[in-house]
Amino acid sequence: QVQLVESGGGLVQAGGSLRLSCAASGSTFSINNMAWYRQALGKQRDVVASITSGGNTNYADSVKGRFTISRDNARNTVYLQMNSLKPEDTAVYYCNLIALRPGGWEAYATWGQGTQVTVQS
């Protein structure tokens, strides 16, 4: 029943910045753990950053120090501030609700359309 809508992507030069937004439906948004994923051409969809209902965050090694995940529970929205962008960051970015499984964090809501981020050198 959760609907996820990503926005904020676009074309940017290397070294530039973008801020992605993820609007989520549902009355229990504030208690959900959330994550941003990305899928580059020819690669699988991988976690970029996560944030728990309590505000704890984690990042993939490739984006540490450059990306910041945050949430606004009043607006049912999760953000990803992306700074110092590199061509390797080019991908479709998605958000989702996540749960901890024996194999690690796993998304469990229906995927949205994602938002394209393209970084040019």
Side-chain angles (χ1 to χ4, degrees), residues 20-93:
L20 307 184
S21 298
C22 170
S25 66
S27 60
T28 60
F29 178 85
S30 63
I31 65 172
N32 291 131
N33 304 314
M34 303 291 295
W36 282 98
Y37 293 74
R38 68 185 181 187
Q39 185 170 26
L41 183 64
K43 297 184 177 180
Q44 66 183 46
R45 183 156 44 199
D46 293 321
V47 173
V48 175
S50 63
I51 185 167
T52 68
S53 59
N56 298 121
T57 60
N58 199 11
Y59 300 91
D61 289 340
S62 59
V63 306
K64 286 181 179 178
R66 301 187 298 119
F67 292 8
T68 303
I69 187 172
S70 61
R71 64 193 299 161
D72 184 343
N73 292 336
R75 297 182 182 275
N76 288 350
T77 302
V78 178
Y79 303 96
L80 186 67
Q81 179 65 48
M82 309 164 66
N83 299 325
S84 302
L85 284 163
K86 304 175 181 179
E88 65 185 18
D89 296 319
T90 296
V92 178
Y93 284 71

Side-chain angles (χ1 to χ4, degrees), residues 91-102:
V92 178
Y93 284 71
Y94 304 85
C95 64
N96 213 315
L97 287 68
I98 57 173
L100 185 59
R101 307 296 188 193

